[in-house]
Amino acid sequence: MTQPRAVKALLFDVFGTVVDWRSSVAVELQSALAPRGHQLDWEAMADDWRGRYQPAMQAIRSGARGYTILDVLHRENLDATLRAFGVTGLSEAELIELNEAWHRLRPWPDCVPGLGRLKRDFILGTLSNGNIALMVNLARFGSLPWDVILGAEITRSYKPSEATYLGSAAALGLAPGDCMMVAAHNEDLRAAQRLGMATAFVCRPTEHGPGQEVDLAPDGDWDYAAHSMQELADLLARA
């Protein structure tokens, strides 16, 4: 780790770092589809839906498609996942409700108390690929104490595009070095570090289920590494 430095704002990846998307989406899929007689591998279905996330954003990063919010991409990906699993016959209202599963993801148990402690000393904001409505609803659902919603929609770009990080810092009137990126994903931190942001890795070894093979440990020279938001709060309190 590098020597710690003073920062004014902590900016968080959300999906996987703050909220447990996999089990939350699996529960939502089961709740919506099991009463209709479907008996499916709900975790595999959640993985399939999430697996379409990066390719959908890459079309926008590459310039092949104009900026489109994540709610729309999630809906397109949901339609593809339902086809892949042989699910048909849902009404438009049911599809809309199911797509909003991403607005009802449960925080990891350490997050609300840990973020509450961090909020005493830092500006807390999202630096997520989620659109504003999604992030606001997720915060209200999970009692996440953000000061501000930043990231993809305000910059009209998706991580790891430089604009997503730099535009989020600029929206706060801060230089990149005044901000710390907090994420469970080493590549996210690498992109932020290249732009001068401080970095904190929070390990989420079950984000992708029991067979997870990536991001099991920090693999860069990050400023901090922790196993929970509570531990991160402890580390920053001692800095």
Side-chain angles (χ1 to χ4, degrees):
M1 296 181 198
T2 60
Q3 290 297 313
R5 49 183 150 149
V7 297
K8 298 176 182 177
L10 306 182
L11 302 180
F12 292 78
D13 172 71
V14 176
F15 301 119
T17 302
V18 176
V19 296
D20 177 6
W21 61 265
R22 187 176 189 264
S23 66
S24 298
V25 169
V27 167
E28 292 271 355
L29 289 165
Q30 183 175 13
S31 177
L33 300 177
R36 301 176 68 93
H38 294 285
Q39 296 300 320
L40 301 168
D41 184 334
W42 308 114
E43 287 78 16
M45 198 172 185
D47 289 338
D48 184 271
W49 193 357
R50 176 69 173 186
R52 301 174 190 273
Y53 171 80
Q54 289 294 344
M57 291 188 297
Q58 184 54 32
I60 295 165
R61 294 187 196 107
S62 70
R65 181 179 186 181
Y67 179 74
T68 306
I69 65 171
L70 190 58
D71 272 341
V72 173
L73 301 183
H74 273 156
R75 172 58 191 276
E76 294 170 355
N77 295 342
L78 171 61
D79 292 344
T81 293
L82 292 174
R83 288 193 298 271
F85 280 77
V87 176
T88 60
L90 296 181
S91 69
E92 181 62 19
E94 289 170 323
L95 290 167
I96 290 170
E97 176 68 13
L98 185 52
N99 195 50
E100 289 181 352
W102 294 92
H103 294 227
R104 299 185 292 270
L105 307 178
R106 297 187 301 274
W108 297 106
D110 59 276
C111 276
V112 172
L115 291 173
R117 290 176 58 199
L118 292 166
K119 188 179 173 73
R120 299 171 195 164
D121 298 311
F122 301 97
I123 298 166
L124 301 189
T126 67
L127 205 170
S128 170
N129 286 325
N131 51 287
I132 293 169
L134 192 168
M135 288 290 105
V136 169
N137 291 338
L138 199 54
R140 290 177 62 82
F141 178 81
S143 300
L144 301 171
W146 308 127
D147 293 301
V148 64
I149 304 297
L150 302 169
E153 190 171 3
I154 71 157
T155 64
R156 299 184 67 80
S157 64
Y158 283 115
K159 295 185 296 181
S161 299
E162 290 185 3
T164 319
Y165 303 92
L166 295 177
S168 295
L172 290 174
L174 298 176
D178 295 325
C179 303
M180 179 180 291
M181 184 72 207
V182 182
H185 311 119
N186 286 288
E187 288 305 310
D188 201 351
L189 296 178
R190 231 178 305 280
Q193 187 182 64
R194 283 195 295 267
L195 299 170
M197 297 178 73
T199 51
F201 180 86
V202 178
C203 190
R204 299 298 185 197
T206 61
E207 176 190 353
H208 297 281
Q212 181 165 322
E213 298 179 351
V214 297
D215 295 319
L216 295 173
D219 69 5
D221 188 20
W222 314 136
D223 294 287
Y224 297 93
H227 291 91
S228 69
M229 291 298 172
Q230 293 275 38
E231 184 180 358
L232 181 61
D234 289 340
L235 292 171
L236 289 173
R238 293 197 294 267

